[in-house]
């Protein structure tokens, strides 16, 4: 069984990055279509009555969406976190990343950022603190907060719902073997961006979220995962996979063999070049 970590200059564990700007009342890929009713503001312009938070959005994106929906100055929602008295796990140390649960939230005349954030965290606690999640986390030698962290990586890395369980298994297999996760999504989080390409210099960033340089899970979730990702995190698919790469949309290949992964990466690069895209390095 392969237990060595391949050279970063030649091996990319993943392809990832989701450009995501949260929009109210938008049709969001991978989520149900939400078409909010509209009410009229004093100036006669329509105002949305719901706010849609899709799976996988970062806390920073959720704050921006709240400010936009409530027509508040940029940064208002983020500043509201401290006074919202959110019921977060002790491990979170006041950081709601991972617990701003993706769903559709009503917007009333008296809705405030504090109320919205509290509702999101309360929803997450209802979803995550039940017996099934706790038992699933325990089976994988984790606590619930660590399970949410795994789910956040799965949410960012999996191209499809069908791949989520396999991505979760790669994470656990690497942790069990003492290998760095080498997830591009964590590097993107460290750099505050979303991209399909992560360069060798990117993987040297000095950050606790750099899973190329740091062992184990990142210190917090890297986005706000949905229920499918959470189910995958506590019930990973059986398999010995250590690597995966998306060769083309709909074709993500998982393997435990380093050389097979090299060939998959080479094929992915060739297809990208043929289509005029710049291949990952």
């Amino acid at each position: 069984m392969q237990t060595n970590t391949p050279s970063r200059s030649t091996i990319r564990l993943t392809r990832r990055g989701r450009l995501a700007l949260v929009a109210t009342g938008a049709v969001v890929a991978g989520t149900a279509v939400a078409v909010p009713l509209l009410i009229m503001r004093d100036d006669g312009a329509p105002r949305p009555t719901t706010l849609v938070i899709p799976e996988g959005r970062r806390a920073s994106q959720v704050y921006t969406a709240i400010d936009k929906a409530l027509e508040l100055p940029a940064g208002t929602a983020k500043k509201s976190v401290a006074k919202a008295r959110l019921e977060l796990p002790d491990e979170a140390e006041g950081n709601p990343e991972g617990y701003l649960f993706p769903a559709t939230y009503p917007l009333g005349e008296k809705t405030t950022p504090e109320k919205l954030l509290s509702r999101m965290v309360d929803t997450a606690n209802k979803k995550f603190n039940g017996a099934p999640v706790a038992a699933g986390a325990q089976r994988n030698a984790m606590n619930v907060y660590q399970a949410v962290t795994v789910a956040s990586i799965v949410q960012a890395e999996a191209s499809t719902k069908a791949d989520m369980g396999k991505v979760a298994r790669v994470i656990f297999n690497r942790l069990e073997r003492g290998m760095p996760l080498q997830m591009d999504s964590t590097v993107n989080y460290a750099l505050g961006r979303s991209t399909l390409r992560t360069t060798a210099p990117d993987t040297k960033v000095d950050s606790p979220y750099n899973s190329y340089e740091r062992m184990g899970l990142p210190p917090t979730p890297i986005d706000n995962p949905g229920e499918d990702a959470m189910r995958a995190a506590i019930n990973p698919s059986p398999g010995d996979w250590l690597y995966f790469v998306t060769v083309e949309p709909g074709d993500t290949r998982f393997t435990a063999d380093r050389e097979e992964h090299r060939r998959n990466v080479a094929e992915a690069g060739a297809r990208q070049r043929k289509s005029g895209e710049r291949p990952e390095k």
Side-chain angles (χ1 to χ4, degrees):
M1 185 172 293
Q2 177 64 41
T3 57
N4 294 330
T5 302
S7 168
R8 298 188 186 95
S9 63
T10 57
I11 292 294
R12 311 299 307 155
L13 176 62
T14 62
R15 44 80 55 205
R16 205 55 34 201
R18 291 186 177 176
L19 299 175
L21 292 177
V22 179
T24 62
V27 178
V28 184
T31 65
V33 175
V35 181
L37 297 176
L38 298 177
I39 60 178
M40 304 304 289
R41 297 189 302 235
D42 291 341
D43 61 4
R47 182 170 71 82
T49 59
T50 60
L51 171 62
V52 178
I53 303 299
E55 292 93 338
R57 280 11 179 201
R58 298 172 185 167
S60 60
Q61 294 170 310
V62 177
Y63 301 149
T64 298
I66 292 174
D67 289 341
K68 182 177 180 180
L70 298 182
E71 300 179 316
L72 297 171
T76 300
K78 183 176 182 180
K79 293 176 182 177
S80 299
V81 171
K83 55 184 178 181
R85 297 184 179 180
L86 304 176
E87 295 185 9
L88 296 166
D90 292 340
E91 300 95 323
E93 298 182 351
N95 181 355
E97 191 75 85
Y99 281 75
L100 301 178
F101 194 78
T104 299
Y105 296 93
L107 301 176
E109 291 292 343
K110 297 182 179 180
T111 299
T112 65
E114 291 90 342
K115 289 180 180 179
L116 266 178
L117 292 167
S118 293
R119 193 173 299 143
M120 291 175 186
V121 172
D122 290 347
T123 303
N125 284 328
K126 290 177 183 178
K127 298 290 185 180
F128 298 156
N129 290 343
V133 172
Q138 187 174 24
R139 281 197 306 272
N140 292 293
M142 299 182 296
N143 59 34
V144 171
Y145 189 70
Q146 290 170 322
V148 175
T149 300
V150 171
S152 74
I153 299 174
V154 170
Q155 187 75 67
E157 292 285 343
S159 295
T160 65
K161 177 181 174 181
D163 286 340
M164 285 183 170
K166 293 182 177 181
V167 172
R169 177 54 66 191
V170 170
I171 293 171
F172 287 119
N173 286 347
R174 282 184 160 252
L175 290 174
E176 290 169 1
R177 288 161 177 75
M179 300 172 68
L181 293 183
Q182 293 186 320
M183 295 285 172
D184 291 352
S185 57
T186 67
V187 174
N188 281 332
Y189 188 81
L191 295 171
R193 71 180 192 194
S194 294
T195 180
L196 291 177
R197 297 188 299 272
T198 302
T199 66
D202 291 339
T203 64
K204 301 295 184 181
V205 61
D206 183 13
S207 169
Y209 293 92
N210 182 356
S211 63
Y212 280 81
E213 297 284 342
R214 307 293 180 94
M215 300 297 292
L217 293 173
T220 73
I222 61 170
D223 59 47
N224 295 281
E227 292 184 271
D228 290 333
M230 193 62 181
R231 278 192 287 268
I234 60 175
N235 294 296
S237 302
D240 61 353
W241 311 294
L242 293 172
Y243 314 105
F244 65 92
V245 64
T246 297
V247 176
E248 60 182 350
D251 182 11
T252 298
R253 300 179 189 177
F254 295 80
T255 182
D257 182 81
R258 177 178 174 178
E259 292 306 315
E260 181 181 356
H261 182 62
R262 285 182 184 275
R263 292 192 294 272
N264 291 338
V265 170
E267 183 176 344
R271 288 176 183 263
Q272 289 170 339
R273 287 189 294 272
K274 184 177 180 180
S275 65
E277 299 176 8
R278 180 181 175 185
E280 297 177 35
K281 297 182 178 180

